[in-house]
Amino acid sequence: MTAGVARQVVEGLRAGGARLLFGVPGGGPNLEMVGAAASLGIPFALFHTEAAACIAASTFGLLSDSVGAAVVTRGPGVASAANGVAQATLDKQPLVLVGDTVPVSNRSWVGHQQFDQPAMMNPLTKWSGTVGHSRTARASVAAARLAAAHPQGAVYIDMDSSVVGDLPPKPPSLIQTGFLPAEMQGLVRTAERPLLILGTGALPWIEEVRRVVADSACPVLTTYHAKGLIDETTPEFGGLFTSSLLEEPLLRQSDLVMAVGMDPVEPLPRPFEYGMPVIEINPWANPRRFFPGEAEVRGAVGPILESLAPDLGRHRWAAGTGQEAWREARGALWEDGPGFTPHQAVEAVAEWTAGQDGATVTLDAGAHFLVAMPFLPVTEPRRILISNGLSTMGYALPAALGAALARPGTPAVCLTGDGGLGIPLAELETLARTGADVVVVVFNDAALTLIELKQSPGQGGHGAVRYRTIDFAAVARACGMEGVVAENQAQLEAALNGSRPRLIDARIDPTAYRAVIETARG
């Protein structure tokens, strides 16, 4: 029976949009899923770690407008996948994870690897349950559609052929209508310096949002996940909203903030204490509110903004205020130094990616992203991917693999630190085996530098944050791909033009990071 259930699960996932299966099999029913996928024309991408497989799968689903699918074994497989599942949900990436399980019919006497897997996954997912021998394909289709529905996220299913199984709920429809109440319209009408903050919830209406911004010429900030929603070369673009000090000058000048599709998982956990009224426009419900006050409307972002365009155009902002504010912020962040600075490394990557057609950059958590995010300009969304909801280290490499598989013919560039790469290090072999079009650039300073900069006396000293220097280029070569060391900007520029996949071990001087974090975060 298990083989038939496995095939029906795969058939349902395929009908729900899955095009590639990722995972780490452990035998039995999960291997039957891999075999069923092959017979149905769905390739299997074998990874070394379950969390990395989930990150790659959800990234693939996000960028291919489909749904990521992954399979793991019971017990340690499901437990090890938890970080990738949490990342998919908090970062709004579509994923269906299928786990093998101890069948209900055997649970009275089998204790090995048995625990309540759906209960563990419940707080990490949009839905968690069991798919059994009845309604199997239907349940799998529903799981895929729920994961892909906005706001996207992870769905977990136990595969147990000994029970009837559950049926995932239908996803709520994305609100396609809506209007701003009269009192909020009045705030927009009388505002002299309205400022827009755009988040990932505005992405489904990118054309309308761009049109309103261009027509009104209001300054705009975007969250990390919405980076590229507004072309960063336009005069309206005022920078990135992270609840840091960088956007404070522009916020201090404004008398109204319109937060459009802003996901509260993205900003730094700092109170928003600027005093001006805030209007939130969201296409779906958020479980928590970042901005103070009750001025929230739920509805279709695009039509609501278009209805407000004439009033937004009455502002008194000087032309190009946003662009000037962003230029000043970037200037405050730029650091020169005698060594190989992270700024020089990012500059080299930015110049190289500008010459590639549609390159995708993935960023790990770590000090390097504080430099990379402001100095890697983009004109389209989802060309720079970062785990800003979970902010997990170990994200960038599997995300780059998922991006390269989703966008064949265009390169992916993985920017990671030595700490971030150490977590999914075995996936360098996956990269070499798949031959994916990926360049890995390691900002190697042998430390958890972002944590070290936060460290106070009595918090463990160097032993808590420093590593030995690892020759990542040698590790890459041992995994079957090209690996080179770059000790200055010129060497990095030359290495970027080599064959792919490849790893570049950039031996940077971390001294400049302290000034960057003090400028950005105080």
Side-chain angles (χ1 to χ4, degrees), residues 52-63:
C54 289
I55 291 170
S58 67
T59 303
F60 176 88
L62 180 75
L63 299 184

Side-chain angles (χ1 to χ4, degrees), residues 93-137:
Q93 298 187 187
L95 171 71
V96 176
L97 175 64
V98 181
D100 191 6
T101 186
V102 177
V104 168
S105 58
N106 295 342
R107 289 182 188 175
S108 63
W109 62 277
V110 174
H112 182 64
Q113 297 183 339
Q114 182 189 153
F115 61 90
D116 192 338
Q117 296 175 166
M120 186 191 81
M121 286 295 179
N122 187 57
L124 307 180
T125 60
K126 298 177 71 173
W127 182 83
S128 180
T130 301
V131 170
H133 58 70
S134 297
R135 307 176 300 184
T136 309

Side-chain angles (χ1 to χ4, degrees), residues 69-441:
V71 60
V72 298
T73 193
R74 69 192 191 190
V78 175
S80 296
N83 195 65
V85 173
Q87 181 274 315
T89 297
L90 289 177
D91 289 321
K92 309 299 185 291
Q93 298 187 187
L95 171 71
V96 176
L97 175 64
V98 181
D100 191 6
T101 186
V102 177
V104 168
S105 58
N106 295 342
R107 289 182 188 175
S108 63
W109 62 277
V110 174
H112 182 64
Q113 297 183 339
Q114 182 189 153
F115 61 90
D116 192 338
Q117 296 175 166
M120 186 191 81
M121 286 295 179
N122 187 57
L124 307 180
T125 60
K126 298 177 71 173
W127 182 83
S128 180
T130 301
V131 170
H133 58 70
S134 297
R135 307 176 300 184
T136 309
R138 180 183 170 194
S140 299
V141 171
R145 290 175 177 168
L146 181 60
H150 292 284
Q152 297 176 321
V155 170
Y156 174 74
I157 52 178
D158 259 2
M159 186 170 55
D160 183 356
S161 62
S162 73
V163 298
V164 172
D166 307 314
L167 194 63
K170 290 183 179 180
S173 299
L174 195 64
I175 299 173
Q176 295 299 335
T177 60
F179 62 93
L180 213 59
E183 63 272 19
M184 296 187 193
Q185 289 180 324
L187 287 173
V188 178
R189 189 173 299 116
T190 58
E192 295 185 350
R193 291 182 175 81
L195 176 68
L196 296 176
I197 299 176
L198 303 178
T200 186
L203 282 170
W205 293 274
I206 181 171
E207 293 183 4
E208 295 97 321
V209 171
R210 285 188 166 194
R211 186 162 54 244
V212 169
V213 168
D215 291 345
S216 69
C218 279
V220 174
L221 301 172
T222 68
T223 65
Y224 277 179
H225 282 165
K227 184 175 170 69
L229 195 157
I230 297 298
D231 182 341
E232 295 185 6
T233 65
T234 62
E236 294 80 28
F237 183 71
L240 299 168
F241 179 75
T242 63
S243 192
S244 75
L245 300 179
L246 293 178
E247 61 264 29
E248 184 172 330
L250 198 56
L251 282 163
R252 293 290 181 198
Q253 296 177 61
S254 67
D255 60 0
L256 174 69
V257 166
M258 297 183 65
V260 184
M262 219 287 291
D263 189 338
V265 306
E266 290 209 72
L268 291 168
R270 290 178 171 175
F272 189 84
E273 298 177 329
Y274 288 94
M276 80 288 282
V278 178
I279 296 174
E280 292 189 70
I281 304 173
N282 291 311
W284 51 71
N286 281 317
R288 53 190 59 85
R289 299 281 297 279
F290 173 77
F291 296 104
E294 300 298 328
E296 180 188 23
V297 62
R298 201 172 302 157
V301 164
I304 292 175
L305 282 182
E306 288 187 315
S307 72
L308 298 173
D311 291 328
L312 286 171
R314 296 175 181 173
H315 65 76
R316 295 188 179 181
W317 290 107
T321 298
Q323 190 178 62
E324 177 61 19
W326 186 224
R327 185 192 66 78
E328 291 180 0
R330 283 160 48 97
L333 283 174
W334 186 263
E335 288 290 327
D336 289 314
F340 184 18
T341 68
H343 298 72
Q344 293 169 344
V346 170
E347 186 175 54
V349 172
E351 290 178 357
W352 185 81
T353 54
Q356 307 298 312
D357 185 15
T360 305
V361 179
T362 64
L363 280 167
D364 232 313
H368 63 283
F369 85 80
L370 295 173
V371 179
M373 287 301 286
F375 292 106
L376 287 172
V378 292
T379 59
E380 297 292 334
R382 291 176 176 158
R383 292 296 174 183
I384 292 185
L385 302 177
I386 185 171
S387 174
N388 200 41
L390 188 62
S391 297
T392 180
M393 286 174 35
Y395 166 82
L397 177 56
L401 274 158
L405 293 170
R407 292 171 169 167
T410 60
V413 184
C414 162
L415 303 186
T416 184
D418 45 88
L421 183 58
I423 293 171
L425 190 63
E427 307 305 345
L428 289 177
E429 186 280 330
T430 308
L431 175 55
R433 173 167 32 88
T434 59
D437 194 352
V438 174
V439 178
V440 179
V441 180

Side-chain angles (χ1 to χ4, degrees), residues 426-493:
E427 307 305 345
L428 289 177
E429 186 280 330
T430 308
L431 175 55
R433 173 167 32 88
T434 59
D437 194 352
V438 174
V439 178
V440 179
V441 180
V442 189
F443 288 64
N444 191 356
D445 57 8
L448 296 173
T449 304
L450 185 60
I451 309 306
E452 185 173 25
L453 291 172
K454 300 176 183 179
Q455 196 177 35
S456 300
Q459 293 186 335
H462 289 171
V465 292
R466 295 281 181 92
Y467 297 113
R468 288 184 175 182
T469 299
I470 298 173
D471 188 343
F472 288 106
V475 175
R477 291 192 295 270
C479 289
M481 58 186 288
E482 187 171 357
V484 296
V485 173
E487 296 182 321
N488 55 54
Q489 186 171 353
Q491 291 178 0
L492 177 55
E493 289 170 350

